[in-house]
Amino acid sequence: MTRIRFHQGLDDLREKMLGMSGMAEQAVDRAVRAYLNGDLSLAEEVYRSEHDINRTEKDIDELAFDLLAMQQPMAVDLRFILAVIKINADLERVGDQAVNIAQRTRSQPASDLPFDLPRMASLARTMVHQAIQAFVARDAELARTILGSDDAVDDINTEAHRTMQQAIQTQHAGAVAALDALLVARNLERVADHATNIAEDVIFWLQGADVRHGKDAQSGVAPH
Amino acid sequence: MTRIRFHQGLDDLREKMLGMSGMAEQAVDRAVRAYLNGDLSLAEEVYRSEHDINRTEKDIDELAFDLLAMQQPMAVDLRFILAVIKINADLERVGDQAVNIAQRTRSQPASDLPFDLPRMASLARTMVHQAIQAFVARDAELARTILGSDDAVDDINTEAHRTMQQAIQTQHAGAVAALDALLVARNLERVADHATNIAEDVIFWLQGADVRHGKDAQSGVAPH
């Protein structure tokens, strides 16, 4: 009976974490749109969502703690719970980055972007989404591909720095706007870093599970 | 006998985490000095230390996992281990910020800083140090004061943004240098955020322990 409650708890934990991930991804999406379109009311929505994200983070932590305290979890469940705790912290910080991006929103659309910020935003969001997909599908291969995507984001970030310095040196009229864009780029670069952390946690979880479960894992009987 | 090994394990975990904290604080200290003095070889040392920090982070995670798997920890020990896992992740990211700061080092000293970067660095480093002290001393009061210090860091960061925009708008010759300083300021602001996270983890740990231990905690019998 307790065992059943424990497994229901694990399912709850997964569900709550998916909800958390959805909120964090939506926050980034809205923040980037608010910045690009100069949509201050959308930026406000991002600020408001931070409260929900923070509350959900605490809920997940408490549930994870209760599950660990409830009974001696098997190693595979233990790794799952620890992965959730770490991924949860990364998702909360993705939400923080969204707030930082939203703070760059002005009352008019961002124009004359000196590098491909929309592509960078799309890459970073996709990385977060895929990292969570890898978690849900227990897919270490997918998690590994995410580690590679980080390079593309870093490249655009480097380009952002280069163009910003150029704008300053040539005393380009759009230098203040370029500064905003650079700061948003750095926030997106951190979103991508969090996605990378999540992917690493997924790999750590699955590898640990593989090591401990040997044939089971190979024959497709997935860890929790 | 197993119980003794478990408590030795908890002591090891605390020791390793103190070592981790020392490395992360040293990395920030060196990175800021490298940047301010234009000391490229000191910046190199920061890059090299990242490897040790990352390895120690993994060691701590594995030890924490083994302790959780070894036997059913009591609630107070469980909270301690979870606090270590979270603080560990924050310290690793403090190390990442140090690397980012070191990357701004040029072959000459940073000059004409348009805001008080050394003070900001000192505040951020002190916050990290005090957060870990609060952890070691089980001092929730000290942890709470850290939450307040974050405002001072944020204020300097805001000032950094203001002066940078001014430098661009007035086409000040030092605008490129001001950009470097701004980016370092943002890294320091994140170091302070991590210190704040650590302080919150300490409070969560101690409060949880208080709640579960009631009179013990009040009479000074500290949680683990």
Side-chain angles (χ1 to χ4, degrees):
Chain A
M1 188 58 181
T2 312
R3 193 80 211 155
I4 289 169
R5 267 187 56 217
F6 179 74
H7 278 99
Q8 281 173 348
L10 291 180
D11 289 341
D12 279 0
L13 195 59
R14 193 193 342 259
E15 283 304 308
K16 274 185 204 288
M17 219 207 56
L18 287 179
M20 177 79 174
S21 158
M23 283 190 286
E25 286 175 49
Q26 188 181 52
V28 174
D29 183 51
R30 284 178 170 168
V32 171
R33 280 192 291 130
Y35 165 70
L36 289 174
N37 302 329
D39 185 339
L40 290 165
S41 70
L42 194 56
E44 285 291 334
E45 285 185 43
V46 176
Y47 304 148
R48 277 198 296 275
S49 71
E50 196 192 10
H51 177 255
D52 291 339
I53 290 178
N54 290 347
R55 207 189 45 214
T56 306
E57 187 204 13
K58 282 200 169 51
D59 284 353
I60 291 173
D61 267 353
E62 285 292 348
L63 179 54
F65 175 80
D66 288 344
L67 287 169
L68 288 172
M70 197 189 285
Q71 66 178 105
Q72 176 95 42
M74 292 195 306
V76 59
D77 294 332
L78 187 53
R79 277 195 183 259
F80 171 79
I81 295 168
L82 292 183
V84 169
I85 288 172
K86 300 181 102 186
I87 293 170
N88 187 34
D90 275 300
L91 289 172
E92 191 268 333
R93 286 158 201 190
V94 167
D96 286 346
Q97 296 302 322
V99 169
N100 289 343
I101 293 169
Q103 283 169 342
R104 300 261 79 74
T105 304
R106 295 171 188 270
S107 55
Q108 55 208 19
S111 58
D112 267 341
L113 294 172
F115 58 93
D116 198 346
L117 189 84
R119 176 150 174 272
M120 190 181 191
S122 162
L123 282 168
R125 270 183 354 233
T126 303
M127 283 175 69
V128 174
H129 190 74
Q130 288 187 334
I132 298 297
Q133 273 196 310
F135 173 80
V136 171
R138 306 173 174 99
D139 186 341
E141 271 315 296
L142 179 57
R144 276 194 198 91
T145 63
I146 292 160
L147 306 187
S149 312
D150 199 30
D151 294 341
V153 172
D154 287 346
D155 286 348
I156 303 180
N157 194 38
T158 303
E159 177 66 9
H161 278 256
R162 202 187 57 73
T163 54
M164 174 63 207
Q165 295 207 347
Q166 216 166 39
I168 293 175
Q169 273 158 346
T170 58
Q171 305 189 338
H172 185 267
V176 170
L179 176 62
D180 277 342
L182 172 66
L183 297 177
V184 172
R186 283 170 69 93
N187 292 130
L188 289 170
E189 190 260 335
R190 289 211 71 78
V191 169
D193 283 349
H194 289 301
T196 303
N197 290 337
I198 293 170
E200 285 173 351
D201 288 334
V202 171
I203 291 167
F204 178 79
W205 162 48
L206 293 174
Q207 278 182 339
D210 284 357
V211 168
R212 280 166 175 78
H213 283 238
K215 213 154 143 261
D216 276 3
Q218 281 161 31
S219 67
V221 179
H224 204 90
Chain B
M1 187 60 183
T2 312
R3 195 80 211 158
I4 290 170
R5 269 186 56 217
F6 179 75
H7 279 98
Q8 280 173 349
L10 291 180
D11 288 342
D12 281 0
L13 195 59
R14 191 190 346 256
E15 283 305 309
K16 274 186 205 287
M17 220 207 56
L18 286 179
M20 177 79 175
S21 159
M23 285 191 285
E25 286 174 50
Q26 186 180 54
V28 173
D29 182 52
R30 285 178 170 169
V32 172
R33 280 193 291 129
Y35 165 71
L36 289 175
N37 302 330
D39 185 340
L40 290 166
S41 69
L42 193 55
E44 285 291 332
E45 284 183 44
V46 176
Y47 303 149
R48 276 198 297 275
S49 71
E50 196 192 10
H51 176 257
D52 290 340
I53 290 178
N54 290 347
R55 206 191 45 216
T56 307
E57 187 204 14
K58 283 200 168 51
D59 284 353
I60 290 173
D61 267 351
E62 285 292 349
L63 179 55
F65 176 80
D66 288 345
L67 287 169
L68 289 173
M70 197 189 285
Q71 65 179 105
Q72 177 95 41
M74 293 194 305
V76 59
D77 295 332
L78 188 53
R79 278 197 181 257
F80 171 78
I81 295 168
L82 293 183
V84 168
I85 289 172
K86 300 181 102 185
I87 293 170
N88 187 36
D90 275 301
L91 289 172
E92 191 268 332
R93 285 158 204 189
V94 168
D96 286 346
Q97 296 301 324
V99 169
N100 289 343
I101 293 168
Q103 283 170 344
R104 300 262 78 76
T105 304
R106 296 172 189 267
S107 54
Q108 57 208 16
S111 58
D112 267 340
L113 293 173
F115 57 94
D116 198 349
L117 190 82
R119 176 150 175 272
M120 189 181 191
S122 161
L123 282 168
R125 267 182 357 232
T126 302
M127 284 175 68
V128 174
H129 190 74
Q130 288 188 333
I132 297 297
Q133 273 195 310
F135 173 81
V136 171
R138 304 176 176 95
D139 187 340
E141 271 314 295
L142 179 57
R144 275 194 200 91
T145 63
I146 291 160
L147 305 187
S149 313
D150 200 31
D151 293 342
V153 172
D154 287 346
D155 286 348
I156 305 181
N157 195 38
T158 303
E159 176 67 8
H161 277 257
R162 201 188 57 74
T163 54
M164 173 65 207
Q165 295 205 349
Q166 214 167 39
I168 292 176
Q169 272 158 347
T170 58
Q171 305 189 338
H172 185 267
V176 169
L179 175 62
D180 277 343
L182 172 65
L183 297 178
V184 172
R186 283 170 69 92
N187 292 130
L188 289 170
E189 188 262 334
R190 289 211 72 76
V191 169
D193 283 348
H194 288 301
T196 303
N197 289 337
I198 292 170
E200 284 172 351
D201 289 334
V202 171
I203 292 167
F204 178 77
W205 163 47
L206 293 174
Q207 277 182 338
D210 283 358
V211 169
R212 279 167 176 79
H213 284 240
K215 213 155 146 261
D216 275 5
Q218 281 162 30
S219 65
V221 178
H224 202 90

